[in-house]
């Protein structure tokens, strides 16, 4: 099938899912115990395609309630591929996550060749344990290392001195066997970020990610002048224009992209190339996504990204939507180029609400 859509008649279905997490996910703006997922299906001429958005406050201004309301509206009123595409394009600035769920389903429907790639891609491992409980933290870190992870993510963004101790304890346990990616999740003001970065020793630190608020570009530029380690922007990057802004301010060595912000697979791929063209290094992946979104990001990453992927959200929940499930070998995911299906039993068992035409889906 061509990657260009004809203006076909469609019916739509949507579900709001709540997927439990195996262990709580610690972030500077709150501890998460589940994923709120918007799952959408596009049906056309006997074919069905899927897209998702996992909506988390702090990652987007959208709420799951707003996303669900928009999804129900699109499901009711869009009757052709062009109607749906036009409506979602108009939503990209105000509701990019919700728009991306539908636009990536259209990418799937159009047979975008990105989704037919095959290969192996290495992920990072996320450290959840606290330095105050060193025995448990050691067990967690050793488990990740034994599985083959060569990059570990450590969350910070609470209190600089406590966070420094957390990083230093993890670094001591790792003892040079992996790089550390330190994620602030916007938790610091400028003074706190400078305090942390001026005291953080660079040994084994790959980068520090988004210590200050997404919209605080002045602080991003200021802390770049004092940091002894490379810096990465994540939440600040919502459009391709933001990549240019970061390059102009020279406030980041790394830029992280997520599919859910950018709408389409090809836009994401173009963004990765844009980062490289500016002399920065790309990181890709969403740690808050189902296996559907992670699979799509893995397909984009192949051939485009050399850093460890962050599309590990599917490892945080026991509920998998794809059939067959993503194949993990150590710290890597292997994809074979075949198109998966969606496990409708998993959808039914975890749906909070559903809308649209589910009868045709079985």
């Amino acid at each position: 099938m061509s990657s260009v859509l004809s203006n076909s008649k469609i019916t739509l279905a949507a579900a709001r899912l709540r997927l439990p997490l195996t262990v709580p996910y610690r972030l500077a703006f709150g501890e998460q115990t589940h994923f709120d997922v918007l799952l959408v299906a596009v049906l056309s001429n006997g074919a069905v395609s899927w897209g998702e958005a996992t909506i988390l406050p702090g990652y987007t201004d959208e709420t799951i309630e707003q996303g669900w309301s928009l999804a129900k509206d699109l499901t009711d009123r869009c009757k052709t591929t062009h109607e749906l595409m036009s409506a979602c394009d108009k939503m990209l600035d105000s509701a990019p996550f919700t728009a991306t769920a539908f636009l990536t389903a259209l990418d799937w429907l159009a047979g975008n060749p990105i989704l037919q790639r095959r290969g192996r891609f290495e992920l990072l491992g996320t450290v959840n344990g606290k330095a105050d409980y060193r025995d448990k933290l050691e067990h967690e870190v050793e488990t990740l290392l034994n599985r083959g992870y060569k990059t570990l993510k450590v969350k910070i963004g609470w209190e600089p001195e406590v966070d420094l101790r957390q990083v230093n304890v993890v670094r001591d346990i790792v003892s040079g066997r992996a790089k550390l990616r330190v994620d602030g999740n916007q938790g610091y003001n400028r003074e706190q970020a400078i305090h942390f970065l001026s005291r953080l020793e660079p040994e084994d630190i790959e980068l520090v990610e988004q210590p200050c608020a997404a919209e605080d570009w002045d602080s991003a530029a200021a802390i770049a002048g004092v940091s002894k380690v490379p810096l990465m922007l994540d939440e600040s990057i919502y459009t391709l224009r933001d990549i240019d802004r970061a390059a102009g301010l020279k406030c980041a060595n790394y830029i992280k992209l997520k599919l859910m912000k950018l709408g389409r697979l090809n836009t994401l791929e173009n963004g990765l190339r844009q980062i490289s063209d500016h002399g920065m290094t790309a990181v890709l992946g969403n740690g808050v996504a189902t296996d559907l979104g992670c699979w799509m990001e893995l397909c984009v990453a192949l051939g485009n990204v050399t850093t460890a992927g962050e599309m590990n959200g599917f490892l945080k929940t026991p509920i998998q939507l794809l059939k067959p499930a993503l194949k993990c070998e150590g710290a890597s995911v292997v994809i074979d180029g075949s198109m998966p299906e969606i496990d409708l039993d998993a959808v039914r068992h975890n749906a909070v609400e559903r809308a649209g035409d589910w009868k045709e889906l079985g």
Side-chain angles (χ1 to χ4, degrees), residues 151 179-181 205-211 217 229-237 242-243 246-247 250-257 272 275-276 278-284 305-308 310:
T151 306
K179 295 180 290 187
L180 300 185
R181 194 174 291 177
I205 304 296
E206 180 188 31
L207 58 87
V208 173
E209 175 182 351
Q210 195 74 49
W217 288 88
V229 301
L231 297 175
M232 180 165 76
L233 292 180
D234 172 13
E235 288 90 346
S236 293
I237 308 299
D242 294 326
I243 298 172
K250 301 185 184 305
C251 61
N253 311 90
Y254 292 77
I255 298 291
K256 183 163 78 175
L257 298 183
L272 296 171
I275 292 166
S276 179
H278 278 301
M280 298 180 290
T281 302
V283 172
L284 174 59
V305 180
T306 59
T307 51
E310 301 212 3

Side-chain angles (χ1 to χ4, degrees), residues 64-83:
I64 186 62
E65 291 77 17
Q66 291 166 341
W68 180 239
S69 178
L70 288 169
K72 288 190 293 183
D73 176 62
L74 292 172
T75 298
D76 289 340
R77 67 183 173 89
C78 293
K79 306 301 180 185
T80 69
T81 52
H82 282 190
E83 286 179 358

